[in-house]
Structure formats: structure tokens, C-alpha cells
Amino acid sequence: MNCKSSFLNFVGIWRSRSSFQYKIVSFCCFYVNSFLSLWKFGLRCEATRFYIDVNMKNTENNRIWLIGCVGLFVSSYSDVEAATEEHPNLLVVMADQFRGDALGFWGKEAVKTPNLDQFAEEAVVLTQAVSGYPVSSPARGMFLSGAYPHENGVLTNCQSVSAHQNVELRQDLTCWSDVLAQAGYATAYIGKWHLDKPYAPYVDCSNNKGEMAWNEWCPPERRHGFDYWVAYGTYDQHLRPLYWNKDSKRDEFYYVNQWGPEYEADLAIQYLDSIRSAGKPFALMVSMNPPHTGYELVPDRYKQEYASLNVDSIARSLPSLMQSDEKYIDLFKRSVADYYACITGVDEQFGRIIRALKENGQYDNTIVVFVSDHGDSMGMHNNIGKNIFYEEAMRVPFLISYGKQLTPRKDDQLLISLEDFCPTILSLMGFQQEIPATVQTRDLSEQIRGSREKMPSSQLYMFYGAVNETGKNLTTGARGVRTLQYTYAVRYKDGVITDEYLFDRKADPFELDNIAGKHPELIRQLRAELKQRMETVHDPAFTVLE
């Protein structure tokens, strides 16, 4: 029962011939309901009218009516109502280093993801989704802000070397989380953040003790609208992670003797339970670090799922791995079982959160997104990790559901990138007019709904290769475009192109044959598209292509 209905019910009972005891019970029910609806919008004026209109005949009635009207007034103190079809809740679960093909329902890798398999039946599965800058901090900065690295400040990973160039997410940018907070949403962030530059004296934790410091506290003024906060910068000890709470000072982090994603799912479920009666919509982002490296730091129950995995057979099935040096093949064989174990663990924790959302009656009124910041090469193409234009690094899972508002399907045509999330999600949530002016990426909300008009023709790839003590070195790095069929990329140093790549992924899905020297007209077309995209967003490296 909403607050207004509770109030009217109380009025009727109090004016009736009901017993005094029943009237007191009804008042208590109304009063509790008022406080459970503490932030509900829009009843201030009605409370005033009711107070004036009521015939208060004795002192006892006066006291009861006064308390009731005050409770009703307090319960309306907010700018938004609970989630509606126009302004739904938002739940984002982001994994780290989760390859786009590493989902059980694809049948491409020997990994078990029963919860994501089920979710895929209820979601739009964006099979062409990529991370345009496939490394942690830049991907996250673009995901939140919808601005490219030269605008949002995150040119490369946030660590002590890049800190010389103030590499961190700009505080003055408006992110999608800021927009929702300003609209009255309850906002929450749980898990990995990695958008602040470390500074001396460094936080006293293990990944800040080597040649490079990585982990850093995020002060409240830099949290971009997120109110509830249990997070850290970056820290790969998955079985004993560390966190800062909302009110923690920089030196007040704490360790948890629990696998990170499990602890974060516990917190997410507790948050969902606490917010369901708040009378306002919520936006919750849960950022899980696995399956990031530290693959072996995963509970044994998940490892047992892959105890008999034939890693030799899997390695032989990947031409992009078998053409690599032996050390990379060995790395893959040592890692893949634990990598899959991490994915199965993340899948289980995602499933727990979804079940809680459904049990609380919040699922149909919530946009749910599962995504990763980038993929994982794991030795393929002689590469460890990410930061490269090959499919295993760029392609990510991107699944989105919204009750009956989005028709579940697998969309293999929409060239969406991680950085398109900010304008797209704001439009899907009814805030298209509030998309920040600093957003440079694409609103693909209509395409997610099913429209095939104005479909993007390509996705950007970027990499800043020398952000260090010497400077930002903006003309050293790599750029590229990915179309439905081709991947085109250039590497350059000090403004001069050093390498050029072209792969026909339909004819060569493992990207083994660089055909850049064989198709000059296609190269000209793709280079022109890349240059146009770079000029449009004022990329400082666009002159490299002239």
C-alpha cells in the first residue's frame, strides 16, 4: 500500500465506529508505512489539504492528525518516485577480463555459465560488443563518462608512472551516475573502481610496494554521484580483497577473508533488500575483479568443475594460440582451467543477485546489464592480457534486459562499444535530455530496442602507448576501426606509422593473415573512416593519418 492509500485508509477507519484499539492499530500501520516511504514524491500538497479539511473535534484527534500529517509530509521528501516504466532501476554487473566468447551458451569455449545462459534467454545479447580501449582504467572511464580518454583524463591505466601526467577520471565531468544521483536515484557502487591516480606516500598494500604503485583510495568528492560505497582502486588478491567503505579515510581500508565476487554479491543483495521500500529508484553497479589475472585465486569448489579439463585439446583448437611462442602456449595451458573457474564463480554470484532482484519484485522494473571492461588474450597472438586490437582482447559480453520493455534476442549486427553505455543507458532510462554535453559517444538506445535505422558502421580502437614521466606522448600508440567484417589498425611512434594491419574476420576468424599489403583500396576506405571518426571526437592523434 502506498503512503496516500495508507493515509486515506487511516482516515476512514478513524471516522468509523471501529473500536479504539483498532483505530490505534490502523494509525500504527499508517505511521510505519509513511516512514517506509520516506522519500516518496508528490504528496506534500495533499497532506496540507487533508489537514485543513479534517474536522478535528477533540484534543486526542488533534494530536493524532498532527502526527499523521507530519509523517505524510516527511515521507514525501524527495525529487523522484519509486522506479517506473519511464524511469526504471538500474543494475550493472561488470566483470574484468572476461572474453566475449567465454559464455556457455555460445558453445565456443568449455566454460560453464548456467546463470548467464538463463539470463541470455531474457536479454538482448549484443554479440558484436567491444571495448574500444581494452584495458582497465580507460575502459571504465569511458563507460562512466561517455567521453574519450583525451577528454576524460584516463589516457592509460591509473598507476604511479602515469600519475606524473595526472591520469585519472576528471572530477568535473558529469557521468551517467551523476545524472541519476541528481535525479533523486539511490546510487551504489561495489567493487573495483581503478580511476584514481596513486600518490605518495602510497597506500600500504601489497600491489603498491614494487616499482609501480597501483591501488588508491577514492575520496567522496570523486565518486561521481555514488552514495553507497564499498570499493577499492585495483587489487588482485581475490581471496583476501581489501575495501574502503563510504566514510573510510585513506588509511582505513580493511581486508575480507572471502572471495571478492562472493563478498560483493552479499553486499549487493543486502543493498537490494534495504532499498526495496525506499520509495525511490536505485542505480547499483557491482564491479567484480575476476576473471582478471590471479586466476588461481578462486575457491576450490569452482576449480573442481574443471579438474578434468583437457587443456591440450583446447590449446590445439586455437590457431591464434598455436602460432604463438611456446612460452605463451604454456601460459594458456597453465591458466585456462582457473580462468574458467573464475568465470563460473562470477556467473554464480551474478545469479544470486538476479534471484534477489526477482524475489524482491524489482526485476521487471530494472534494467539489468552484464558486461566486462575488456577481454583476455592469454597468450593468443603472442600477447598477454589485453591492450590490443585482436578479438580475444576487444570483444566483451554485453547483455541487457528490461522486463517486457526489451524483446530478448541475439543481435549480431549492432556495432556497440563499451563507451556508448553512458548516452545509451540514460536514454533507455528516460533521461535523454539530460545526457551531458561532454559525451562524445553514441546513443544506441533505439537500436537496442530493435530499430535498424542509423546503424553504426564501425567501432573505434585506441591505445596510448607512452604516457609516462616524459609526457603524454599523444602521437605514440595505436588506433583502428572494426566493422562487421574487417579489423583495421595502425601503430605509430612520434607521429609516424610503423605498422599497419588488416584482417578479414569472415574469411580469417582467428586473424592470422594480415592482408594490409594486398588491398590498397580497402585500406584507403578504412583509413578514411578511421580519420573521420578521430576528427569528429577531436582525437589529438588524428594528424598521424594525414
Side-chain angles (χ1 to χ4, degrees):
M1 182 181 294
N2 63 31
C3 193
K4 180 180 176 182
S5 298
S6 180
F7 186 79
L8 292 173
N9 185 57
F10 170 63
V11 170
I13 291 172
W14 196 262
R15 284 180 154 176
S16 73
R17 297 176 178 269
S18 302
S19 69
F20 181 77
Q21 290 85 351
Y22 185 66
K23 290 178 181 181
I24 292 298
V25 170
S26 72
F27 167 72
C28 292
C29 290
F30 157 68
Y31 202 76
V32 169
N33 188 69
S34 293
F35 276 92
L36 288 175
S37 304
L38 184 59
W39 297 290
K40 194 169 178 65
F41 170 79
L43 297 179
R44 297 180 183 90
C45 293
E46 293 195 38
T48 303
R49 287 200 301 272
F50 272 118
Y51 183 79
I52 293 171
D53 291 342
V54 166
N55 178 23
M56 293 180 287
K57 294 183 179 180
N58 58 53
T59 304
E60 181 186 30
N61 275 350
N62 287 349
R63 285 197 299 268
I64 296 294
W65 280 110
L66 180 60
I67 294 171
C69 288
V70 168
L72 181 58
F73 180 82
V74 170
S75 72
S76 68
Y77 189 70
S78 179
D79 292 329
V80 293
E81 296 184 17
T84 63
E85 183 177 312
E86 182 182 2
H87 296 306
N89 302 314
L90 175 64
L91 168 64
V92 178
V93 177
M94 175 180 278
D96 194 308
Q97 216 158 302
F98 194 128
R99 278 197 299 271
D101 282 345
L103 291 158
F105 62 83
W106 286 135
K108 295 181 179 181
E109 300 201 34
V111 64
K112 302 173 185 179
T113 56
N115 294 285
L116 284 164
D117 296 351
Q118 175 59 45
F119 182 62
E121 297 296 320
E122 305 167 10
V124 178
V125 182
L126 301 164
T127 68
Q128 297 289 344
V130 302
S131 177
Y133 191 159
V135 69
S136 177
S137 299
R140 294 164 186 274
M142 291 192 294
F143 183 82
L144 284 167
S145 71
Y148 286 103
H150 63 280
E151 291 292 340
N152 68 30
V154 193
L155 293 171
T156 187
N157 262 339
C158 296
Q159 27 83 348
S160 56
V161 174
S162 64
H164 290 281
Q165 304 305 326
N166 293 314
V167 171
E168 62 179 356
L169 183 61
R170 280 173 46 193
Q171 184 176 331
D172 61 339
L173 278 183
T174 301
C175 298
W176 57 260
S177 49
D178 293 302
V179 173
L180 297 181
Q182 291 161 12
Y185 274 63
T187 54
Y189 195 95
I190 298 170
K192 182 173 180 175
W193 179 249
H194 203 188
L195 290 168
D196 297 282
K197 63 182 180 185
Y199 60 91
Y202 299 117
V203 173
D204 186 16
C205 58
S206 61
N207 63 338
N208 282 353
K209 296 184 184 300
E211 295 181 359
M212 189 180 294
W214 288 87
N215 197 16
E216 187 52 76
W217 171 69
C218 181
E221 65 272 14
R222 290 188 41 79
R223 293 174 188 170
H224 285 280
F226 287 109
D227 180 38
Y228 178 95
W229 184 266
V230 183
Y232 58 95
T234 180
Y235 193 72
D236 297 336
Q237 298 299 318
H238 307 317
L239 290 173
R240 193 170 184 262
L242 68 77
Y243 300 89
W244 283 272
N245 286 337
K246 175 182 177 179
D247 299 319
S248 299
K249 301 295 189 296
R250 188 172 183 246
D251 61 352
E252 293 176 346
F253 58 88
Y254 64 95
Y255 292 92
V256 176
N257 292 314
Q258 187 178 5
W259 193 52
E262 184 177 50
Y263 176 68
E264 291 151 13
D266 287 348
L267 293 176
I269 291 167
Q270 292 168 15
Y271 181 80
L272 292 173
D273 288 344
S274 71
I275 204 70
R276 61 180 173 178
S277 299
K280 62 193 303 185
F282 68 82
L284 166 63
M285 183 165 174
V286 185
S287 179
M288 301 178 180
N289 202 3
H292 189 279
T293 43
Y295 311 127
E296 73 281 3
L297 302 174
V298 59
D300 287 340
R301 66 182 184 277
Y302 301 126
K303 289 186 178 185
Q304 289 303 313
E305 295 284 337
Y306 300 96
S308 60
L309 189 69
N310 189 334
V311 296
D312 293 319
S313 175
I314 294 173
R316 288 194 298 269
S317 72
L318 297 170
S320 53
L321 175 68
M322 296 310 293
Q323 57 83 48
S324 297
D325 294 342
E326 193 65 32
K327 65 179 181 180
Y328 294 111
I329 298 174
D330 290 342
L331 167 72
F332 179 91
K333 291 180 180 180
R334 291 196 310 270
S335 304
V336 66
D338 288 339
Y339 179 72
Y340 288 165
C342 288
I343 288 175
T344 296
V346 167
D347 173 83
E348 180 172 270
Q349 304 313 317
F350 174 75
R352 291 179 60 217
I353 297 171
I354 294 300
R355 283 193 296 277
L357 198 65
K358 291 180 176 180
E359 289 168 1
N360 287 348
Q362 299 164 315
Y363 184 73
D364 289 338
N365 222 15
T366 300
I367 294 178
V368 179
V369 178
F370 182 85
V371 72
S372 179
D373 59 346
H374 51 75
D376 190 350
S377 297
M378 202 181 288
M380 288 176 263
H381 292 104
N382 284 309
N383 191 59
I384 297 175
K386 48 272 182 181
N387 237 352
I388 202 165
F389 46 77
Y390 292 112
E391 291 287 277
E392 57 267 17
M394 285 189 71
R395 279 193 54 244
V396 294
F398 198 138
L399 294 79
I400 179 169
S401 76
Y402 178 18
K404 297 179 180 179
Q405 305 304 313
L406 289 178
T407 302
R409 69 184 191 281
K410 291 180 174 62
D411 189 331
D412 59 1
Q413 298 295 310
L414 181 56
L415 294 171
I416 191 170
S417 298
L418 206 65
E419 57 264 29
D420 297 320
F421 181 79
C422 176
T424 299
I425 199 64
L426 287 175
S427 283
L428 286 173
M429 297 179 72
F431 295 100
Q432 187 174 37
Q433 299 304 312
E434 286 73 34
I435 293 174
T438 51
V439 166
Q440 299 175 294
T441 53
R442 306 168 296 190
D443 174 4
L444 298 177
S445 56
E446 289 304 313
Q447 290 78 11
I448 286 178
R449 289 188 176 102
S451 173
R452 300 294 86 172
E453 296 183 8
K454 299 181 180 179
M455 293 283 279
S457 60
S458 65
Q459 299 149 308
L460 272 176
Y461 162 74
M462 64 195 67
F463 167 58
Y464 288 81
V467 184
N468 52 41
E469 300 95 328
T470 67
K472 294 181 179 179
N473 301 308
L474 299 177
T475 57
T476 293
R479 294 293 187 276
V481 286
R482 180 186 183 275
T483 71
L484 283 172
Q485 183 169 355
Y486 298 103
T487 296
Y488 171 72
V490 294
R491 285 176 171 154
Y492 47 86
K493 184 177 181 179
D494 298 326
V496 177
I497 293 176
T498 58
D499 300 286
E500 193 166 33
Y501 301 84
L502 177 64
F503 298 100
D504 180 344
R505 299 192 318 279
K506 288 188 176 179
D508 177 25
F510 290 100
E511 299 169 297
L512 301 177
D513 185 13
N514 180 8
I515 58 174
K518 301 176 183 178
H519 298 277
E521 179 58 24
L522 183 56
I523 287 286
R524 186 191 66 78
Q525 294 173 10
L526 291 172
R527 183 182 285 194
E529 176 155 1
L530 174 58
K531 183 180 178 183
Q532 188 273 327
R533 292 287 306 274
M534 292 172 69
E535 285 182 304
T536 298
V537 301
H538 310 292
D539 189 323
F542 82 91
T543 56
V544 171
L545 299 180
E546 292 183 336

